[in-house]
């Protein structure tokens, strides 16, 4: 993708209703330039006494509240999806104004979302130009897989010993949803569903800090590599990866610790090998 022609039109389509040119207010909202004026009473116009008729209060029309944070969050989600799908390519520089045109918003929320991605390590700031998508190699992906395994395997083994079977049954729809998402062939859709399943499993630990750290590592592991990698995985690879979720859930229900350990390790190693 080159600057000025980034991604498909489908990615930007949901943002047509966000508003244009940084106004923060959707087009056609009818926001008044000033409060509505109340006409004078007929008696006052003719000079008649109106002491018994108190003047009507002037009630300004309420302006709609601009949900700027919401727009920024939506743009951030869209940019993350574009990263996973490979629409934002490693090494390429993208400007906030051009991306704003794509999403139908001003450059400001795009720039703020890109700055968040810079904090996450997905992009880097290029002065006077925009943001460059970070180029990552296979080694970094392998390191992320190792760290994820160090964090998640012990937690899942503990949960396998302590969580009641009925709680695992509640996660069955999420595991099946990852299979459907993988079958769609959409890498961004599968990435979101994949994180959702892992987040739900780790949430049973009751440790929110753990959940946030694990999800950050998971998200970074989904970014594409230079020349391909996870961003180039086909539908068959995604489906095979998704079926490991249902197998893991079966092992957790059965409290088979050896299988849980093996499945989680292979799951992360498989994602790294795909890079």
């Amino acid at each position: 993708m080159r600057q000025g022609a980034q991604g498909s039109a489908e990615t930007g389509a949901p943002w047509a209703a966000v508003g244009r040119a940084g106004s923060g207010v959707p087009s056609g909202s009818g926001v008044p330039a000033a409060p509505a004026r109340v006409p004078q009473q007929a008696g006052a116009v003719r000079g008649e006494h109106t002491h018994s008729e108190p003047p009507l209060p002037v009630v300004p029309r309420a302006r709609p509240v601009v949900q700027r944070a919401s727009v920024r969050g939506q743009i951030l989600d869209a940019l993350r999806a574009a990263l996973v799908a490979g629409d934002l390519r490693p090494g390429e520089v993208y400007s906030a104004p051009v991306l704003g045109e794509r999403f139908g918003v001003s450059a400001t929320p795009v720039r703020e979302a890109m700055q968040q991605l810079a904090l996450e390590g997905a992009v880097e700031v290029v002065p006077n130009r925009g943001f460059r998508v970070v180029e990552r190699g296979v080694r970094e992906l392998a390191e992320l897989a190792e760290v994820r395994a160090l964090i998640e395997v012990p937690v899942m083994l503990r949960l396998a010993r302590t969580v009641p079977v009925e709680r695992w049954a509640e996660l069955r729809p999420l595991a099946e949803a990852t299979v459907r998402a993988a079958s769609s062939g959409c890498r961004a859709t599968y990435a979101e569903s994949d994180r959702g399943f892992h987040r739900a499993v780790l949430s049973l630990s009751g440790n929110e800090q753990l959940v946030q750290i694990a999800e950050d590592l998971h998200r970074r592991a989904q970014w594409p590599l230079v020349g391909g990698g996870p961003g180039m995985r086909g539908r068959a690879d995604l489906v095979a990866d998704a079926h490991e979720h249902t197998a893991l859930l079966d092992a957790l229900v059965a409290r088979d610790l050896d299988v849980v350990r093996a499945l989680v390790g292979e799951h992360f190693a498989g994602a790294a090998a795909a890079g």
Side-chain angles (χ1 to χ4, degrees):
M1 176 186 312
R2 293 297 175 186
Q3 183 171 337
Q6 295 123 353
S8 63
E10 295 178 356
T11 306
W15 301 102
V18 173
R20 305 293 300 183
S23 66
V25 181
S27 58
S29 62
V31 179
R37 300 182 63 182
V38 178
Q40 293 179 301
Q41 299 179 46
V45 174
R46 296 191 302 268
E48 298 174 359
H49 295 289
T50 57
H51 301 293
S52 60
E53 301 175 14
L56 295 176
V58 177
V59 180
R61 292 176 59 184
R63 295 178 180 269
V65 178
V66 178
Q67 299 294 336
R68 179 173 175 180
S70 176
V71 173
R72 182 174 63 246
Q74 292 173 8
I75 295 297
L76 178 60
D77 289 343
L79 291 173
R80 284 171 170 167
L83 277 171
V84 175
D87 292 336
L88 299 180
R89 299 179 181 177
E92 294 288 336
V93 177
Y94 300 92
S95 72
V98 172
L99 289 174
E101 282 294 320
R102 171 183 171 182
F103 294 123
V105 298
S106 71
T108 299
V110 175
R111 188 175 294 110
E112 292 173 345
M114 277 293 200
Q115 289 169 347
Q116 175 60 37
L117 289 178
L119 293 175
E120 296 176 3
V123 301
E124 57 188 8
V125 178
V126 181
N128 302 320
R129 292 185 61 195
F131 301 85
R132 177 185 290 112
V133 178
V134 172
E135 298 179 275
R136 307 183 318 129
V138 175
R139 177 175 180 178
E140 181 177 345
L141 189 62
E143 291 174 350
L144 286 169
E146 181 179 4
V147 175
R148 290 185 64 200
L150 289 172
I151 293 176
E152 295 193 34
V153 170
V155 175
M156 289 192 183
L157 291 176
R158 175 168 59 86
L159 294 177
R161 293 190 293 265
T162 59
V163 173
V165 173
E166 56 270 18
R167 295 297 303 276
W168 293 125
E170 296 174 359
L171 302 187
R172 182 71 61 179
L174 292 178
E176 295 172 348
T178 65
V179 176
R180 291 193 299 271
S183 299
S184 72
C186 177
R187 293 184 291 272
T189 299
Y190 175 68
E192 182 68 26
S193 182
D194 183 24
R195 291 197 310 274
F197 174 77
H198 282 265
R199 181 170 58 247
V201 171
L202 295 177
S203 293
L204 294 176
S205 68
N207 189 330
E208 184 59 31
Q209 298 302 315
L210 168 70
V211 174
Q212 292 181 7
I213 292 172
E215 180 155 9
D216 177 64
L217 293 170
H218 195 169
R219 190 187 304 278
R220 292 170 58 191
Q222 293 173 330
W223 298 337
L225 305 185
V226 175
M232 300 301 292
R233 297 172 74 185
R235 180 177 302 180
D237 296 322
L238 298 181
V239 171
D241 192 76
H243 279 299
E244 292 178 358
H245 294 146
T246 57
L248 173 61
L249 197 56
D250 292 338
L252 289 169
V253 169
R255 294 191 174 181
D256 192 329
L257 303 187
D258 291 335
V259 174
V260 169
R261 184 183 294 105
L263 282 172
V264 177
E266 292 173 2
H267 190 62
F268 295 157

